[in-house]
Amino acid sequence: MKERSVCLIGSGGQGVVFAATMLANALFARGLYVAQLQNYGAEVRGGSVMAYVVFSESEVVNPFINSFDVLIVLHDFNVSSWAKYLKYTDLVIADDLLVSKYLHRAIKAPLFRKALEGGLAGRESVVALGFLAGLNVVGKDDLKNALMDARDFEQNVKALEIGYELALQMRLRELQEFSSEKALSDSRERRA
Amino acid sequence: MRRLLSGNEAIAEGALAAGCNFFAGYPITPSSEIMHYMARELPKRGGVFIQAEDELAAVNMVIGASLAGAKAMTATSGPGFSLMQEGIGYAVMVEAPIIVVNVMRVGPATGQATKPAQGDIMQARWGRHGDQYLVSLAPSTPQESFELTIEAFNIAEELRVPVMLLIDEFIAHGREIVVSKRIAAKYRRTVMGEGEEPFNSMNPKIAPPLPELGSGKYLLITGSTHDGRGYRDVHNFETHFNLVRRLKDKVVLNLDKLFMYEVHGDEEPDVLFISYGSTARSAKEAVNILRSRGVKAKLIRLKTLWPIDIELIKRLGGNPRAVIVPEQNLGQLIIDVERIYNPFEHRVMGYNKVGGGIPIYSSELVEEALKVLSCGG
């Protein structure tokens, strides 16, 4: 399995670091080597936040990367800081309401609006996690297990399902070249 | 046990594994998780946790606890580290085994709170007045943070010297897999026996013993020059000279034991990287990329930033055409590298980048190396 990476960009308070932590935990529980990094300022809310997870079957030599397999932009506050990441990443998904800059290459997805409709404002990062599960980046059940350690399990699972369904509706699966689940089952076969 | 831990959590775990039973600190991002962890775990294990009123109090509490027999640690970041310098200098003088973790962030002053940097490595070494020698270590992964914290306690106890543990925010907040091990033997300071003195050692490589609390023996402690018994002597040349020379010798004469490093790449490289901490991970990948393109490359990663064995580095490095020192500061370790590779005879260059939380990428180092090599020389 090649080294894989997922990056989330947003604004403080949206749960970007939380989502990256849950994603890392879910992949770790799968037996993968995981490195999670983040960049944020001193603000609690409103600052620019970036978090990413690199995962692989073998040890990650260097987690300092500037292009990702998937990048989700939840807010465009100070998004110009991450212009290079957006440029180098093939699959960029951007919230269709909160992101208006750097949209020329991104696929728009109503992550925030779906969260709002479900009464889950502020949980758009968990909707994004469900979206990633819908893209087959990570197992939905693995994410659910990871979320059991966090607060508001039921609401988070609801958000997760919303994101998952959204990804399926948008038929983005075909765009995705990789499937970590498939890669994992392949490698398990190799090991056996 | 295999867990997903941040560098900060790994340091706290390492401290507990090493038998740390006293922690005093004052919160500061990006080091606070160490304090949170110790506040939660120490009382469960019969240890003591104190949130001090400021960093000065924290470091002095740690010195007191250590001399009373505890294995003591504090953790801070740049601004707090500056405040702690006075206490660290005092700890050198009274030979208190303490651990000070500095999770480096962008400075000077408040800088860009709380983005990562590697700007405190010279401060860790020279930040205090007077002649003083201590040890500073720089892990580059959460796993190594765990291991070097244990090592730091062993060194501090064995040599009765403060040990600085320098990590940057990337490693401190980054989460990776840490396999924690049970530690079979924990090094403990020598307990003072009959006829021995707490500030005198016949062998300059060995630190003097400390009396055990409650054993009935006295321990006089002063930051002023003192003789073997701990009595103040602020007049005689010999007393002072013997003291500071012994404080230096016990560090520098143990260089072979204290200097830890990792070597990766070709035996006789054309381009040599010398790096430490998180930056060394990009350098390691750069070495792999360069080698895959047919360039002979090597990395010497320093786990110990002081004392440095410059002769050993010279031997390990061979005779490279270019030496690149990537650092998240404007050039600090390179001062030492220039003692090894004369800049008038070798191409010695820093690759410096700091601020904004943007790391040095391996692609930049590859590009730099190819550029330097193509220039000839």
Side-chain angles (χ1 to χ4, degrees), chain A residues 8 71 91 94 96 113 140 161:
Chain A
L8 292 157
L71 195 158
L91 182 56
D96 69 345
R113 280 195 291 134
K140 192 172 71 172
E161 295 289 353

Side-chain angles (χ1 to χ4, degrees), chain B residues 75-95:
Chain B
T76 186
S77 182
F81 194 57
S82 294
L83 292 172
M84 285 185 184
Q85 294 305 319
E86 184 184 343
I88 296 168
Y90 184 79
V92 170
M93 193 60 154
V94 304
E95 297 175 72

Side-chain angles (χ1 to χ4, degrees), chain B residues 257-323:
Chain B
K257 200 154 53 178
L258 296 174
F259 183 64
M260 295 176 279
Y261 60 92
E262 181 202 338
V263 177
H264 175 75
D266 291 299
E267 197 66 19
E268 282 293 331
D270 281 330
V271 58
L272 173 68
F273 291 99
I274 301 181
S275 193
Y276 53 94
S278 66
T279 313
R281 301 183 70 175
S282 290
K284 191 172 184 176
E285 198 188 8
V287 166
N288 292 343
I289 297 169
L290 285 165
R291 293 179 78 196
S292 73
R293 295 189 192 172
V295 178
K296 287 200 165 127
K298 188 177 202 166
L299 164 72
I300 301 177
R301 178 171 72 83
L302 308 188
K303 298 184 193 180
T304 306
L305 289 175
W306 183 254
I308 290 183
D309 192 339
I310 57 171
E311 281 169 23
L312 180 65
I313 295 175
K314 175 86 181 167
R315 255 200 328 276
L316 293 169
N319 190 22
R321 285 166 61 198
V323 183

Side-chain angles (χ1 to χ4, degrees), chain B residues 12-206:
Chain B
E13 271 293 309
L16 294 170
C20 173
N21 54 3
F22 184 93
F23 185 102
Y26 186 80
I28 182 169
T29 310
S31 79
S32 300
E33 291 83 3
I34 301 175
M35 198 172 163
H36 296 159
Y37 209 95
M38 296 308 260
R40 197 171 65 229
E41 294 299 323
L42 269 181
K44 289 186 205 165
R45 301 167 194 232
V48 174
F49 170 85
I50 298 174
Q51 176 166 336
E53 63 268 38
D54 57 34
E55 284 89 349
L56 286 85
V59 71
N60 286 307
M61 286 173 184
V62 164
I63 293 167
S66 170
L67 291 172
K71 281 193 167 186
M73 178 168 98
T74 184
T76 186
S77 182
F81 194 57
S82 294
L83 292 172
M84 285 185 184
Q85 294 305 319
E86 184 184 343
I88 296 168
Y90 184 79
V92 170
M93 193 60 154
V94 304
E95 297 175 72
I98 62 166
I99 310 297
V100 180
V101 183
N102 175 7
V103 181
M104 293 182 283
R105 67 184 223 192
V106 170
T110 323
Q112 266 186 333
T114 58
K115 309 285 188 197
Q118 295 178 321
D120 307 347
I121 71 164
M122 282 297 165
Q123 185 194 20
R125 188 190 300 182
W126 302 118
R128 297 133 314 260
H129 58 280
D131 288 297
Q132 25 77 37
Y133 287 78
L134 42 67
V135 178
S136 61
L137 308 178
S140 77
T141 61
Q143 176 68 42
E144 202 171 71
S145 301
F146 174 80
E147 288 161 10
L148 285 187
T149 304
I150 295 167
E151 201 56 50
F153 272 96
N154 288 341
I155 292 168
E157 289 285 323
E158 185 173 354
L159 294 180
R160 272 183 67 184
V161 70
V163 179
M164 309 291 108
L165 203 56
L166 303 176
I167 63 169
D168 56 68
E169 193 265 359
F170 284 127
I171 305 299
H173 281 163
R175 293 168 81 228
E176 280 182 78
I177 288 168
V178 175
V179 183
S180 47
K181 301 161 207 142
R182 283 185 179 278
I183 308 304
K186 295 167 196 161
Y187 196 90
R188 226 30 200 127
R189 63 194 70 171
T190 337
V191 174
M192 200 167 93
E194 282 308 315
E196 288 183 312
E197 292 177 342
F199 297 99
N200 194 9
S201 170
M202 297 309 283
N203 184 341
K205 283 178 87 169
I206 295 172

